[in-house]
Amino acid sequence: MSNDTAVFLGQFLRAPTVIGAVAPSSRRLAAAVCAPVPERGEPIVVELGPGTGPFTAEIQERLGGRGHHLAVEVNDKLAELLAKRFPAVDVAHADAAGLGELLAARGLSQADVVVSGLPWAAFPQQLQHRLMDAVTSSMSPGGAFTTFSYIHAIPLAPARRFRALLAERFEEVVTGRTVWRNAPPAFVFHARRPRP
């Protein structure tokens, strides 16, 4: 077991509804989730629930020193680990529901891309709505939102509710191919243009 997996598993056992997974995401899933990060310009990229940083590493590689990368992690141990591991990333130990305030405190108006590692299917409906309100109100009109879901969660009511919420809040939602080389296998949601 890698050190990251051990840390992640330990945090999952402490708070399974907050962490939502037993192991970090694979590189293949990270590449699929982070695909909307622009290759040019100075984008503002927000990462929600970065965990031990597999998406963080992919975002940093794609940005190559450009833009602003804000990673919002509610777990104190994981936030501390991220800050040490990725000194170029603006790590906020905070709740994602306060995203608007976090951006404003940094003089940033809106996110161009929001990459989410949050366990949406593990959240009750009220929390899903509260977090999605924070996300969509913090995005630019042409912004992109990406997240993923494990294939075993497809039939669960919270997962179905979340898919309906995406369709309600974004003009375009595309489901990507299944990433089989992830434990467990997962697929990606790409959503664009939040509805006002």
Side-chain angles (χ1 to χ4, degrees):
M1 184 184 295
S2 74
N3 186 47
D4 278 3
T5 302
V7 169
F8 207 87
L9 180 59
Q11 297 307 301
F12 170 79
L13 293 172
R14 284 180 59 212
T17 58
V18 175
I19 302 297
V22 296
S25 299
S26 69
R27 259 210 95 172
R28 287 181 189 262
L29 182 58
V33 169
C34 299
V37 175
E39 295 179 2
R40 293 189 248 353
E42 298 291 326
I44 297 169
V45 180
V46 171
E47 181 183 9
L48 306 177
T52 57
F55 296 171
T56 313
E58 183 71 23
I59 292 167
Q60 283 294 287
E61 187 175 317
R62 288 171 185 261
L63 287 176
R66 299 174 296 113
H68 190 103
H69 179 183
L70 171 63
V72 183
E73 176 56 60
V74 73
N75 180 286
D76 57 345
K77 183 167 184 156
L78 295 177
E80 185 180 330
L81 175 86
L82 278 169
K84 286 179 185 169
R85 186 173 285 173
F86 300 100
V89 176
D90 179 2
V91 178
H93 174 217
D95 186 331
L99 180 56
E101 293 82 8
L102 291 170
L103 288 169
R106 289 157 172 79
L108 303 171
S109 57
Q110 297 174 315
D112 299 302
V113 178
V114 177
V115 173
S116 175
L118 297 176
W120 292 93
F123 295 153
Q125 185 173 13
Q126 184 178 8
L127 181 55
Q128 284 183 352
H129 281 263
R130 188 162 60 91
L131 291 169
M132 189 55 71
D133 286 344
V135 168
T136 55
S137 65
S138 300
M139 292 177 67
S140 64
F145 171 79
T146 59
T147 191
F148 68 96
S149 180
Y150 296 122
I151 59 170
H152 66 266
I154 291 171
L156 302 178
R160 290 197 314 269
R161 246 192 342 261
F162 178 66
R163 287 196 302 277
L165 182 61
L166 282 176
E168 175 188 311
R169 299 297 182 89
F170 290 91
E171 290 181 10
E172 176 188 348
V173 180
V174 177
T175 305
R177 293 183 181 177
T178 301
V179 179
W180 294 104
R181 295 181 89 173
N182 191 72
F187 58 92
V188 180
F189 291 113
H190 295 285
R192 291 191 179 274
R193 297 183 303 280
R195 297 184 196 274

